[in-house]
Amino acid sequence: MIVQPIHENGVKMLLNAGFEVVQASNPEPSVVAREISDCDGVIVRTALFTAEIIRNAPKLKVIARHGVGVDNIDVEEASKHGIYVVNTPNANALSVAEATVAFILALAKQLKQMDAATRRGDFKIRDLFSTMDVDGKTLGIIGLGRIGSLVAKKCQAAFSMKVLAYDPYIDTSRALELGVELTSLDRLLKEADFVTIHVPLTTETKNMIGEAQLKLMKPTAYIINMARGPIWDEYAVVKALNEGWIAGAATDVFVEEPPKNDHPFLKCEKILLTPHNSALTKECVIRMAEGAAQGVIEVLTGKKPSFPVNLDLLRKYGKI
Ligand code: NAD
């Protein structure tokens, strides 16, 4: 089953491998739970994939995440049932890293505000001298994994940025290799001109950026969330922007997607918004669809999946 539409290349791979492919009539968990009972594999994008769905899928052997973050999938429940959860970790890092660089430049050059001012005839805005150069500035990366590392490389190469990173789980040798200085979250927030978030959503990272953290930042600094909405406190971000604790922000992700009409970000001029589409470039959707299809085919043909995310849990429940 495919819960939300994917690029046709992924569908073709599954058909060519001899599988029947069905599309859920709606990504609502209650609908998927009703329609999934006969399926051996499923490809999930951002829709919630709950314990209820898993309990209604007695034949299910693999859940393939079209993308990286598996926080929308009940991985624990899947593992209890011996179901592999796989993802496409190498498919989207490049696209998300490029979008991060685009955000850094758009914030520094105030593209959103300058475009709006020019359209309303406010040409004098140019005399405010309010934009800034990125070259030589300090970038703070929270989570120096695949995406964070690529952002570091691009910003060092293109803008000679000094890069600080907070990531307690990576080797210092990896940071050295990247020419990045590992530091505490507090120091990163205090010193960076641009802070960018690239951690997975976990119990540890949920709300890791709140009022106390935003207050550590420079009033001239910007913060970008490319990871998951709940990692920062959205209301604290709006307060920080409205009260001038920081200069601006950008996000590709929201606590609730899509955001409701009265979401405070929608009324705040100082935050640049995109609809969780940084990994949905023409090239990236093909890589993710093919990668997810590959993961399904590997498990259903008895091969070891290339990118399993729940091996530890499958072992814990005695399933492998
Ligand atoms: P990754 O696993 O390669 O890197 C994540 C890094 O975060 C790792 O180095 C890990 O050690 C670090 N980390 C984990 N917990 C941490 C903590 N408490 N504090 C600091 N660092 C911590 O993953 P990735 O491919 O770089 O993707 C990162 C996240 O970006 C994904 O989990 C996903 O939620 C998000 N993402 C968003 C989009 C999008 O469309 N906006 C696309 C892809 C990924």
Side-chain angles (χ1 to χ4, degrees):
M1 169 181 277
I2 291 170
V3 175
Q4 288 164 296
I6 65 168
H7 191 275
E8 59 180 11
N9 282 21
V11 179
K12 280 185 194 152
M13 278 176 66
L14 292 164
L15 294 173
N16 290 342
F19 297 108
E20 188 187 335
V21 179
V22 292
Q23 167 89 49
S25 53
N26 186 313
E28 264 298 305
S30 58
V31 176
V32 177
R34 266 203 314 276
E35 297 178 357
I36 201 167
S37 58
D38 269 344
C39 297
D40 301 287
V42 63
I43 294 181
V44 178
R45 283 178 51 191
T46 49
L48 273 185
F49 202 80
T50 60
E52 186 206 352
I53 302 177
I54 292 165
R55 287 196 284 265
N56 276 288
K59 295 181 171 177
L60 201 62
K61 291 169 198 66
V62 55
I63 301 168
R65 168 75 170 95
H66 178 281
V68 178
V70 291
D71 47 281
N72 57 324
I73 298 169
D74 195 327
V75 180
E76 185 88 27
E77 186 70 16
S79 308
K80 281 184 199 163
H81 293 260
I83 299 167
Y84 272 101
V85 180
V86 301
N87 67 356
T88 61
N90 298 326
N92 56 15
L94 169 82
S95 312
V96 180
E98 282 190 6
T100 308
V101 177
F103 268 168
I104 290 171
L105 287 174
L107 290 169
K109 308 301 172 188
Q110 300 188 340
L111 293 184
K112 184 168 108 81
Q113 293 86 344
M114 294 300 150
D115 178 85
T118 309
R119 285 169 199 280
R120 67 172 180 263
D122 179 11
F123 217 74
K124 285 208 172 112
I125 196 169
R126 66 196 292 273
D127 296 325
L128 287 180
F129 311 136
S130 56
T131 62
M132 68 191 254
D133 288 337
V134 172
D135 199 277
K137 296 291 190 307
T138 299
L139 175 66
I141 299 180
I142 304 176
L144 194 63
R146 280 174 294 260
I147 300 171
S149 305
L150 270 178
V151 172
K153 283 185 193 164
K154 288 178 189 304
C155 289
Q156 287 162 330
F159 309 115
S160 309
M161 291 182 90
K162 171 182 172 185
V163 185
L164 301 176
Y166 170 66
D167 189 329
Y169 301 106
I170 67 150
D171 280 352
T172 40
S173 58
R174 172 69 180 143
L176 266 176
E177 189 189 312
L178 289 164
V180 169
E181 186 183 347
L182 284 179
T183 186
S184 66
L185 180 59
D186 283 8
R187 185 180 150 224
L188 179 152
L189 293 165
K190 280 181 196 158
E191 293 187 15
D193 298 296
F194 297 88
V195 173
T196 182
I197 305 172
H198 301 289
V199 287
L201 175 60
T202 63
T203 45
E204 207 182 49
T205 61
K206 189 171 180 188
N207 275 322
M208 79 189 286
I209 302 295
E211 284 199 16
Q213 289 69 34
L214 292 161
K215 278 190 173 149
L216 293 176
M217 291 178 63
K218 298 192 275 196
T220 50
Y222 294 94
I223 186 164
I224 298 167
N225 187 356
M226 302 302 283
R228 286 291 181 268
I231 293 166
W232 66 8
D233 173 349
E234 292 179 330
Y235 289 90
V237 173
V238 172
K239 195 169 173 191
L241 292 167
N242 288 342
E243 296 185 7
W245 310 347
I246 58 174
T251 191
D252 188 41
V253 288
F254 300 81
V255 170
E256 192 184 344
E257 296 183 0
K260 295 240 164 68
N261 288 341
D262 61 351
H263 191 293
F265 282 174
L266 303 184
K267 289 193 287 288
C268 182
E269 281 302 313
K270 288 184 175 171
I271 183 162
L272 184 57
L273 309 173
T274 51
H276 200 157
N277 73 330
S278 67
L280 301 181
T281 63
K282 292 181 182 69
E283 298 83 359
C284 190
V285 291
I286 295 174
R287 291 193 296 267
M288 290 193 291
E290 291 179 349
Q294 187 62 37
V296 169
I297 293 167
E298 284 171 346
V299 174
L300 296 186
T301 56
K303 296 195 182 82
K304 276 198 176 143
S306 303
F307 301 109
V309 299
N310 63 336
L311 288 183
D312 288 350
L313 283 171
L314 287 169
R315 272 190 212 108
K316 175 177 147 188
Y317 290 111
K319 299 296 181 183
I320 54 170

